């Protein structure tokens, strides 16, 4: 069992990633921390609690974090719908605790060397933890993040992936930190699911909420990102941690653009062969589509305990 904290901005693909992580049985999830990104912190926090309720796992604590990026205005996504979960209308729950950063630090301090942070949204909370609790950094096992684009175009701008674009200053702090980092960039997100794939999910309780989420999500993606299938950004990130043998990875040196007029949030990798030194991040270049799809449907189809 891997010990993790999921930092997330649900978000339809975040919701599917949380379902995969919880139902896989591969993870001890110490907490879910929320961040503004796909939607507001109120939405992402309410949505995280709603997904855990659907999974019967309200025992997993949810701590809310950053309402805005470190230095910029929040630039929300449109593909996840008005409330952030496609066509699902989650009921309002308890408010915001606002203590995600402190909670991340204290969980890591209590579990020194064991905790991997799975970062599925903008890196605002992680950057704040690095800045406010520098003593905790050596006790973090690693950060596994969905974000960036190395050899492919961006999805939020010509060159930048959404999570990096929303808070490039936070991403810069994380990439400069000494913590062990793995990134799953858009390069590995060519594995998409169709409605037929989702319809194979047999869990009677999850099947209809999943379809209520993904049908509008796919419709919005075809309007905004030129693809008719479901982008599985965050589930692929969780899967790369669950099943590293299904992935191709390499070590690179990457930095994050924070000043460019046209290149804000771009992850700029050193790709000159004769200059390949000082790697600072492991990049997941490819995930086996066959294995991911088979495992995703099998795991989400497992009956709830
Ligand atoms: O660019 C895709 C990423 O941005 C995913 O994590 C998605 O949920 C959004 O947060
Ligand atoms: Ca996300």
């Amino acid at each position: 069992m891997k010990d993790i904290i999921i930092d997330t901005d649900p978000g339809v693909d975040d919701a599917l990633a949380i379902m995969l992580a919880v139902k896989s049985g591969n993870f001890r999830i110490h907490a879910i921390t929320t961040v503004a990104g796909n939607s507001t912190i109120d939405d992402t926090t309410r949505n995280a609690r709603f997904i855990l309720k659907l999974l019967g796992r309200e025992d997993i604590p949810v701590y809310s974090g950053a309402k805005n990026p470190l230095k910029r205005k929040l630039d929300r996504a449109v593909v996840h719908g008005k409330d952030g979960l496609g066509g699902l209308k989650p009921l309002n729950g308890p408010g915001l605790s606002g203590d995600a950063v402190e909670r991340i630090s204290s969980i890591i301090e209590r579990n020194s060397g064991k905790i991997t942070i799975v970062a599925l949204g903008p890196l605002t909370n992680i950057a704040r933890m690095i800045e406010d609790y520098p003593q905790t950094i050596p006790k973090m096992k690693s950060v596994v993040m969905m974000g960036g684009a190395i050899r492919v175009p961006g999805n939020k701008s010509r060159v930048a992936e959404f999570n990096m674009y929303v808070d490039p200053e936070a991403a810069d702090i994380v990439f400069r930190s000494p913590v062990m980092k793995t990134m799953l960039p858009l390069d590995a997100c060519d594995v998409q699911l169709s409605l037929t794939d989702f319809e194979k999910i047999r869990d009677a309780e999850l099947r209809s909420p999943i379809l209520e989420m993904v049908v509008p999500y796919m419709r919005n993606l075809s309007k905004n990102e030129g693809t008719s299938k479901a982008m599985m950004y965050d589930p692929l990130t969780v899967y790369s941690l669950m099943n590293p043998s299904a992935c191709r990875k390499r070590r690179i040196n990457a930095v994050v653009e924070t000043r460019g007029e046209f290149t804000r949030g771009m992850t700029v990798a050193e790709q000159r062969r004769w200059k390949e030194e000082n790697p600072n991040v492991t990049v997941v270049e490819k995930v086996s589509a066959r294995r991911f799809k088979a495992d995703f449907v099998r795991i989400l189809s497992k009956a709830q305990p």
Side-chain angles (χ1 to χ4, degrees), residues 8-9 13-14 38 120-121 163 234:
T8 178
D9 62 336
D13 63 315
D14 302 70
N38 281 320
L120 305 178
N163 288 335
D234 294 339

Side-chain angles (χ1 to χ4, degrees), residues 66-278:
K67 296 182 182 205
N68 291 295
L70 294 183
K71 293 186 177 164
R72 296 173 190 255
K73 220 171 54 62
L74 177 62
D75 188 347
R76 297 172 48 175
V78 293
V79 294
H80 301 274
K82 190 172 77 60
D83 300 309
L85 287 182
L88 274 186
K89 299 270 171 281
L91 297 175
N92 278 327
L96 303 176
S97 62
D99 57 353
V101 174
E102 300 87 315
R103 296 286 189 168
I104 292 171
S105 174
S106 64
I107 292 168
I108 292 170
E109 290 287 346
R110 289 199 310 274
N111 300 275
S112 184
K114 287 170 58 183
I115 301 290
T116 291
I117 299 178
V118 179
L120 305 178
L123 292 168
T124 317
N125 292 337
I126 318 307
R128 280 209 178 130
M129 207 287 306
I130 289 169
E131 299 254 282
D132 298 353
Y133 298 90
Q135 73 281 7
T136 304
I137 298 172
K139 298 169 187 154
M140 295 168 74
K141 183 173 182 182
S142 74
V143 178
V144 174
M145 65 191 102
M146 190 284 137
I150 304 296
R151 293 184 171 141
V152 297
N155 60 355
K156 179 62 184 172
S157 75
R158 294 180 182 188
V159 294
E161 175 279 324
F162 178 85
N163 288 335
M164 301 294 157
Y165 178 91
V166 167
D167 198 341
E169 285 74 22
D172 182 42
I173 288 166
V174 174
F175 273 73
R176 290 177 189 275
S177 78
V179 68
M180 177 75 79
K181 296 173 283 290
T182 299
M183 68 188 285
L184 188 135
L186 295 180
D187 307 58
C189 295
D190 54 344
V191 179
Q192 300 163 8
L193 262 62
S194 66
L195 183 55
T196 310
D197 295 319
F198 288 109
E199 286 172 339
K200 291 174 189 162
I201 294 171
R202 284 281 156 265
D203 178 321
E205 288 168 45
L206 281 189
R207 194 167 184 279
S208 53
I210 286 174
L211 293 175
E212 277 180 70
M213 278 196 302
V214 300
V215 169
Y217 176 54
M218 289 190 277
R219 189 171 53 239
N220 294 334
L221 280 168
S222 62
K223 275 189 241 159
N224 294 279
E225 293 189 24
T227 172
S228 59
K229 292 186 179 179
M231 294 302 294
M232 300 296 277
Y233 306 110
D234 294 339
L236 285 162
T237 304
V238 166
Y239 188 71
S240 70
L241 185 57
M242 272 168 59
N243 198 350
S245 69
C247 305
R248 189 180 73 236
K249 301 177 183 179
R250 70 189 173 101
R251 294 280 292 159
I252 66 168
N253 184 287
V255 294
V256 180
E257 173 61 69
T258 58
R259 289 197 289 268
E261 182 185 351
F262 302 111
T263 53
R264 155 193 171 166
M266 181 177 183
T267 43
V268 185
E270 177 56 84
Q271 302 189 67
R272 295 170 294 179
R273 288 269 171 240
W274 65 93
K275 298 282 283 182
E276 279 183 338
E277 64 244 3
N278 308 324

